């Protein structure tokens, strides 16, 4: 396909991909474009198969309150959502392995979905994360890797969090001091792995990073972080009106549960916008203390 058709296909996905009125982050589009471009250079047997794995939501039929409420209840019940995602991934991997026992899969999960079975909020009570289900389904065959970001100090919703640098800035300061901006290693046997897991404020005391994750990738110093939002042309072809209908129903349900949830102006998302997070300067203060 030429680039116009590729972008049109991606735009159709972006308008109908989940029960949110719209998902504002650009990285999904970037990943889709990148996989398509890479596959065009590969022979058939090496092409990447890509399977989005979140809970299914039908948008092609008229949107109504009952449908959104059902989807939201699945989404909000993280046991239900994560078990559904994990079940889909496990079944898909088993199908692939039935054809090729050496088949591998890279599973990209955001935030807590990747935590392994050793993560607890309450000691002895297993957490219902995708990572846990996968480790249990494929014992001895899984590894999970944390990509550096920042620790969460409070969680109100997907779009409303409070953050701090990991380990009060010690990790970022160490990499910056050594001029390392791109590294990866196993947590086991390192000082990083022995540090207390402060990525989630609800973590049971005594859990370390090597308990929850197999490995770590450090990529980019915090001041280089950018948030990129927008879906080119998403508001056009009448979708702005459809978005308003979805938004009205969604927030009638969702805002009562979570008044912090962000709303979006669909026309402001019609073009890509790249910016720094406004909290980045605050994250740098504790890092600078270590560097001093």
């Amino acid at each position: 396909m030429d680039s116009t058709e590729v972008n049109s296909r991606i735009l159709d996905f972006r308008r109908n991909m989940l029960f949110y009125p719209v998902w504002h982050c650009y990285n999904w589009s970037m990943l889709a474009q990148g996989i398509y471009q890479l596959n065009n250079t590969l022979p058939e047997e090496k092409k990447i198969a890509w399977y989005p794995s979140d809970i299914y939501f039908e948008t092609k039929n008229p949107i109504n309150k009952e449908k959104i409420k059902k989807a939201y209840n699945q989404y909000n019940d993280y046991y239900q959502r994560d078990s559904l995602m994990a079940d889909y991934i496990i079944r898909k991997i088993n199908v692939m392995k039935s054809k090729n026992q050496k088949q591998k899969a890279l599973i990209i999960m955001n935030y807590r979905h990747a935590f392994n079975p050793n993560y607890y909020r309450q000691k002895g009570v297993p957490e219902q994360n995708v990572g846990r289900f996968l480790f249990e389904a494929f014992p001895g065959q899984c590894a999970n890797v944390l990509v550096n970001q920042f620790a969460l100090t409070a969680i109100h919703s997907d779009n409303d969090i409070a953050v701090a640098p990991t380990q009060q800035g010690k990790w970022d300061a160490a990499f910056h001091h050594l001029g390392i901006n791109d590294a990866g290693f196993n947590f086991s046997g390192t000082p990083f792995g022995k540090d207390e897991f402060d990525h989630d404020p609800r973590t049971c005391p005594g859990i370390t990073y090597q308990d929850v994750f197999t490995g770590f990738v450090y990529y980019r110093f915090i001041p280089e972080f950018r948030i990129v939002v927008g879906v080119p042309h998403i508001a056009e072809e009448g979708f702005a009106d459809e978005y308003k209908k979805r938004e009205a129903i969604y927030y009638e349900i969702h805002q009562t549960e979570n008044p912090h949830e962000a709303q979006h102006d669909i026309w402001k998302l019609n073009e890509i916008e790249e910016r720094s997070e406004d909290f980045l300067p605050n994250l740098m203060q504790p890092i600078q203390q270590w560097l001093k």
Side-chain angles (χ1 to χ4, degrees):
M1 296 184 291
D2 61 28
S3 60
T4 300
E5 187 171 1
V6 171
N7 291 333
S8 176
R9 298 284 186 92
I10 291 174
L11 182 59
D12 186 60
F13 272 116
R14 296 307 307 267
R15 286 171 173 165
N16 299 287
M17 65 189 296
L18 77 175
F19 73 95
Y20 275 131
V22 69
W23 186 246
H24 57 290
C25 300
Y26 176 68
N27 56 358
W28 198 96
S29 299
M30 185 176 69
L31 181 62
Q33 290 169 341
I35 290 175
Y36 184 79
Q37 291 166 1
L38 178 61
N39 276 347
N40 278 339
T41 70
L42 298 174
E44 192 64 33
E45 68 275 9
K46 291 188 176 181
K47 291 185 186 295
I48 296 170
W50 182 31
Y51 303 101
S53 59
D54 213 331
I55 55 175
Y56 176 75
F57 181 61
E58 171 62 63
T59 61
K60 296 297 185 181
N61 295 320
I63 301 298
N64 60 60
K65 189 183 298 186
E66 287 69 31
K67 285 176 62 177
I68 291 184
K69 195 172 185 67
K70 179 181 177 182
Y72 172 65
N73 287 339
Q74 285 185 315
Y75 180 92
N76 195 44
D77 178 352
Y78 81 102
Y79 171 80
Q80 189 175 15
R81 181 189 181 201
D82 277 52
S83 63
L84 288 169
M85 288 195 290
D87 179 70
Y88 175 72
I89 294 166
I90 290 165
R91 286 189 286 113
K92 188 62 68 174
I93 291 174
N94 284 332
V95 169
M96 291 190 291
K97 282 187 172 292
S98 70
K99 301 175 182 177
N100 176 11
Q101 274 298 311
K102 295 183 178 180
Q103 179 71 50
K104 295 182 179 180
L106 171 64
I107 299 151
I108 301 172
M109 285 283 141
N110 189 30
Y111 180 50
R112 63 155 186 85
H113 301 294
F115 295 176
N116 71 15
N118 298 323
Y119 175 81
Y120 295 96
R121 297 182 190 179
Q122 182 180 342
K123 195 65 177 175
V125 180
E127 290 296 320
Q128 317 301 335
N129 296 316
V130 171
R132 173 209 156 187
F133 294 125
L134 296 182
F135 271 78
E136 291 175 347
F138 303 107
Q141 301 178 66
C142 288
N144 59 343
V145 179
L146 173 67
V147 180
N148 74 296
Q149 42 185 287
F150 24 72
L152 306 184
T153 57
I155 304 166
H156 305 296
S157 78
D158 285 351
N159 298 311
D160 185 13
I161 57 175
V163 299
T166 304
Q167 287 295 308
Q168 299 83 46
K170 180 174 61 176
W171 288 16
D172 288 280
F175 284 105
H176 188 63
H177 177 70
L178 294 173
I180 297 173
N181 208 24
D182 187 355
F185 49 84
N186 283 347
F187 269 131
S188 180
T190 73
F192 299 91
K194 295 176 182 177
D195 276 338
E196 186 171 357
F197 189 72
D198 64 347
H199 189 61
D200 187 311
R202 302 163 293 191
T203 304
C204 192
I207 293 177
T208 65
Y209 273 89
Q210 67 187 20
D211 291 330
V212 182
F213 280 96
T214 310
F216 179 62
V217 167
Y218 184 87
Y219 184 68
R220 302 297 183 186
F221 191 37
I222 279 181
E224 299 176 38
F225 285 11
R226 295 291 182 272
I227 184 167
V228 184
V229 300
V231 182
H233 309 296
I234 192 167
E236 299 165 17
E237 301 172 312
F239 185 73
D241 293 333
E242 170 68 12
Y243 172 78
K244 290 177 182 177
K245 295 176 187 176
R246 294 184 189 181
E247 185 184 54
I249 296 173
Y250 178 79
Y251 286 111
E252 180 183 342
I253 300 166
H254 198 59
Q255 289 293 79
T256 58
E257 300 282 342
N258 187 1
H260 302 282
E261 185 68 32
Q263 298 192 45
H264 299 286
D265 180 344
I266 191 68
W267 282 104
K268 288 184 178 179
L269 296 177
N270 203 53
E271 297 179 1
I272 299 170
E273 178 189 359
E274 178 179 330
R275 63 176 184 269
S276 299
E277 284 283 21
D278 54 9
F279 55 70
L280 290 184
N282 292 334
L283 293 181
M284 285 304 299
Q285 293 176 10
I287 296 172
Q288 292 295 346
Q289 291 299 316
W290 288 100
L291 292 172
K292 291 177 182 178

